């Protein structure tokens, strides 16, 4: 109903009914000849799908009128069936989601004035917000998510209830909290969502590393407001995403998470130096460790954890290039270490350059352009995506007459370094270098 009033196309239709799943399952199965699912059966929900002649998928979910709530210490809601449409709507999260059309007569049902709130961009609960959030604490996270997705603002009484009940979110499973965070970050306004998450106090519970970026800045020790800087970096990273045919299609969760977390190591590494200066030495390494820990706690998958923490760890890597352009060897190592994250790393690095000094900004941008051009040239001449020694492990053992063991591993690593330093040199030169290195090892022993 909300999307219909916002003139948004939707191929996902939600129905609610007084009938129980066993009463409408047969009808839904017959209609949904291209798909049927019942994972939500215990919550009174069944779903089905069918394809139109043009290939468009239409999905329908039907749910029995419901009245569910969390027990005081439970991570799963207790589900009971309700008796009326109005009662079912009263248990919805917000008034803008508590509207319906009765079928088949198409009577508009809006007992909580959701249409008015929709027109005014207001998020308000159908019932007392304290009761609503006590029944289902995840609704507090949904409020923040809708700020990001719809650009709405949270009505004052509802906002006050969230701030006073943030501890209640701790009973919700990490997976459900994570899913709301992901939807928020993939929205059109992720910055507004993060700011609402922080202002409400929810971030203190579900993502404490973010509000911790609001470092106190006194008159003697001045540095950028890290939280404000992070919000700017997030905005800039989103703006640097590409279309579907580009290397980082929007919306990109990996890049957005990395932008959000790239400086979370700063509070832990802040040191006050002489002359009123402040340092954050190794905040990239510490931040990568913190990123892994927080993402594990939120039950993100291992691949995403690896990618985001790698970007956080590498986000300062390029900065030395501005003062002194790298050798080809250093460029190869940068590409190798970034691996499939190369395009995202460059965008994160560009987004992180928020200086107001226009001369410095131009110098940095020119240096990044130069490095990217050099990478393109090296890619034309070399296979940078799969840099390996020109001799593999079996060849190394054959040439040196070795059995598998640690010496072979050291030889392989040396030949990889030689490849990165020298570029493609050909098999004969690689053999000479391998024998030279092996002879040197023997003399050292």
């Amino acid at each position: 109903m909300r999307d219909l009033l916002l003139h948004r196309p939707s191929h996902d239709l939600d129905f609610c009914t007084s009938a129980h799943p066993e009463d409408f399952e047969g009808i839904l199965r017959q209609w949904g000849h291209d798909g049927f699912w019942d994972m939500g059966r215990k919550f009174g929900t069944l779903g089905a799908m069918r394809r139109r002649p043009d290939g468009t998928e239409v999905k329908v979910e039907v749910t029995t009128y419901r009245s569910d709530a969390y027990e005081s210490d439970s991570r799963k809601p207790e589900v009971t069936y309700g008796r009326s449409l109005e009662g079912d709507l009263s248990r919805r999260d917000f008034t803008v989601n508590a509207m319906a059309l009765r079928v088949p007569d198409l009577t508009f049902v809006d007992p909580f004035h959701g249409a008015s709130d929709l027109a005014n961009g207001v998020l308000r609960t159908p019932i007392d917000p304290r009761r609503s959030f006590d029944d289902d604490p995840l609704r507090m996270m949904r409020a923040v998510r809708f700020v990001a997705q719809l650009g709405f603002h949270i009505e004052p009484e509802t906002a006050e209830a969230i701030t006073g009940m943030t501890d209640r979110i701790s009973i919700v499973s990490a997976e459900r909290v994570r899913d709301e965070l992901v939807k928020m970050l993939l929205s059109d306004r992720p910055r507004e969502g993060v700011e609402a998450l922080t202002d409400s106090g929810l971030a203190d519970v579900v993502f404490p590393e973010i509000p911790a970026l609001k470092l106190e800045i006194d008159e003697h020790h001045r540095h950028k407001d890290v939280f404000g800087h992070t919000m700017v970096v997030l905005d800039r990273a989103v703006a640097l995403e590409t279309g579907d045919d580009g290397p980082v299609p929007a919306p990109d969760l990996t890049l957005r998470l990395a932008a959000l977390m790239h400086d979370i190591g700063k509070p832990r590494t802040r040191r006050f130096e002489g002359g009123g200066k402040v340092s954050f030495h190794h905040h990239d390494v510490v931040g990568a460790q913190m990123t892994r820990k927080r993402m594990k706690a939120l039950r993100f998958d291992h691949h995403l954890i690896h990618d985001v923490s790698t970007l956080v760890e590498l986000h300062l890597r390029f900065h030395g290039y501005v003062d002194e352009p790298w050798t080809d060897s250093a460029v190869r190592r940068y590409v190798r270490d970034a691996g499939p994250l190369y395009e995202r790393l460059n965008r994160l690095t560009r987004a992180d350059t928020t200086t107001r000094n226009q001369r410095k900004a131009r110098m940095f941008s020119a240096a990044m352009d130069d490095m990217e051009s050099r990478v393109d040239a090296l890619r034309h001449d070399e296979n940078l995506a799969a840099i390996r020694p020109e001799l593999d492990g079996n060849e190394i053992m054959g040439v040196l007459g070795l059995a598998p063991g640690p010496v072979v591993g050291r030889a392989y690593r040396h030949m990889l370094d030689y490849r990165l330093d020298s570029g493609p040199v050909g098999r004969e030169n690689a053999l000479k270098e391998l024998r030279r290195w092996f002879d040197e090892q023997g003399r050292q022993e």
Side-chain angles (χ1 to χ4, degrees):
M1 195 66 239
R2 184 194 73 211
D3 287 341
L4 180 64
L5 293 177
L6 290 173
H7 305 289
R8 292 184 173 186
S10 177
H11 303 296
D12 296 341
L13 305 176
D14 295 321
F15 293 87
C16 56
T17 174
S18 58
H20 289 192
E22 58 270 21
D23 299 321
F24 57 78
E25 179 174 352
I27 299 172
L28 202 55
R29 282 185 180 275
Q30 183 178 4
W31 177 86
H33 48 70
D34 292 313
F36 175 84
W37 56 93
D38 64 353
M39 296 85 73
R41 183 183 293 273
K42 66 180 179 180
F43 301 110
T45 300
L46 302 178
M49 182 267 288
R50 70 187 303 174
R51 292 184 182 86
R52 291 172 173 163
D54 64 359
T56 303
E57 294 182 352
V58 178
K59 297 178 181 178
V60 168
E61 286 196 340
V62 181
T63 301
T64 304
Y65 293 154
R66 228 163 63 189
S67 176
D68 48 287
Y70 282 81
E71 295 298 328
S72 60
D73 59 351
S74 172
R75 285 182 174 266
K76 296 182 179 180
E78 293 292 327
V79 178
T80 57
Y81 291 143
R83 297 181 178 179
S84 69
L85 174 59
E86 288 74 11
D88 185 87
L89 293 176
S90 74
R91 54 161 292 279
R92 301 303 172 92
D93 48 11
F94 301 104
T95 59
V96 296
N97 294 327
M99 300 175 286
L101 282 178
R102 289 189 186 274
V103 291
D105 58 344
L106 300 184
T107 302
F108 181 52
V109 182
D110 183 17
F112 304 104
H113 310 292
S116 175
D117 285 345
L118 190 67
N120 294 316
V122 174
L123 290 172
R124 182 170 55 87
T125 55
I127 59 175
D128 184 293
R130 289 169 291 275
R131 177 184 162 194
S132 178
F133 298 145
D134 192 57
D135 285 347
D136 184 354
L138 191 67
R139 289 171 181 164
M140 296 187 286
M141 291 293 300
R142 291 198 195 109
V144 171
R145 191 237 296 178
F146 287 135
V147 168
Q149 287 183 328
L150 303 174
F152 287 8
H153 67 273
I154 304 173
E155 177 266 334
E157 185 180 359
T158 303
E160 183 180 352
I162 294 174
T163 301
M165 299 178 67
T166 53
D167 287 347
R168 184 79 170 136
I169 198 68
S170 61
I171 73 164
V172 181
S173 70
E175 291 84 356
R176 298 187 75 201
V177 170
R178 174 204 63 208
D179 290 346
E180 291 297 325
L181 286 170
V182 168
K183 292 173 184 176
M184 177 191 78
L185 287 172
L186 293 179
S187 71
D188 292 337
R189 306 169 188 82
R191 173 178 180 168
E192 293 179 27
V194 174
E195 289 173 340
L197 186 75
T198 304
D199 293 342
S200 68
L202 285 168
D204 292 323
V205 181
V206 302
F207 212 142
E209 294 82 2
I210 302 306
L213 294 172
K214 292 189 173 185
L215 299 177
E216 181 179 351
I217 305 174
D218 63 41
E219 60 181 337
H220 302 296
H221 300 101
R222 296 190 178 278
H223 54 80
K224 287 181 181 178
D225 168 42
V226 184
F227 179 83
H229 165 75
T230 297
M231 295 300 96
V232 172
V233 172
L234 179 58
D235 274 345
R236 287 166 59 93
V238 170
L240 289 170
E241 293 171 342
T242 66
D244 291 342
D245 58 346
V248 186
D252 189 83
L253 181 60
T254 304
L255 178 60
R256 296 183 183 200
L257 278 168
L260 180 62
M261 304 177 79
H262 78 285
D263 272 348
I264 62 172
K266 279 191 170 180
R268 190 171 294 181
T269 59
R270 181 170 65 161
R271 298 291 182 272
F272 296 116
E273 312 288 355
K277 294 183 178 180
V278 181
S279 68
F280 302 96
H281 296 308
H282 307 300
H283 78 269
D284 46 348
V285 176
V286 172
Q289 295 169 348
M290 295 171 66
T291 296
R292 282 189 287 271
K293 183 176 180 180
R294 176 52 51 196
M295 291 185 70
K296 286 180 181 177
L298 288 168
R299 304 292 193 271
F300 282 99
D301 70 75
H302 296 302
H303 178 74
L304 186 61
I305 293 172
H306 170 271
D307 285 355
V308 175
S309 58
T310 298
L311 288 172
V312 172
E313 186 166 359
L314 294 177
H315 81 274
L316 296 179
R317 181 76 169 269
F318 174 78
H319 286 259
Y321 191 102
V322 180
D323 299 323
E324 184 177 351
W326 294 336
T327 63
D328 284 351
S329 171
V331 172
R332 292 187 191 98
R333 291 174 188 275
Y334 178 85
V335 176
R336 181 199 63 175
D337 292 347
L341 299 171
Y342 169 78
E343 295 288 353
R344 290 188 179 98
L345 178 58
N346 288 356
R347 282 162 173 75
L348 176 61
T349 303
R350 287 183 185 272
D352 191 31
T353 308
T354 59
T355 178
R356 295 181 180 178
N357 185 313
Q358 293 300 309
R359 184 183 66 83
K360 288 184 178 180
R362 286 193 297 269
M363 287 178 59
F364 185 92
S365 180
M368 178 64 81
D369 291 344
D370 179 69
M371 191 273 293
E372 290 179 338
S373 295
R374 291 178 62 189
V375 169
D376 289 341
L378 287 171
R379 279 176 169 163
H380 182 268
D381 297 330
E382 310 173 21
N383 185 9
L384 289 185
I387 292 181
R388 294 180 178 85
E390 292 177 272
L391 303 171
D392 63 25
N394 289 328
E395 291 173 308
I396 289 172
M397 288 189 289
V399 171
L400 301 181
L402 297 173
V407 176
V408 178
R410 292 200 300 271
Y412 184 90
R413 287 190 293 273
H414 172 76
M415 294 308 295
L416 176 59
D417 287 337
Y418 180 67
R419 168 68 177 81
L420 289 166
D421 290 338
S422 306
V425 297
R427 180 178 174 79
E428 291 305 315
N429 286 327
L431 288 170
K432 289 178 182 178
E433 174 60 23
L434 176 62
R435 293 188 179 103
R436 184 203 64 76
W437 174 85
F438 190 64
D439 289 344
E440 184 178 274
Q441 298 302 301
R443 289 195 300 273
Q444 289 178 355
E445 293 177 2

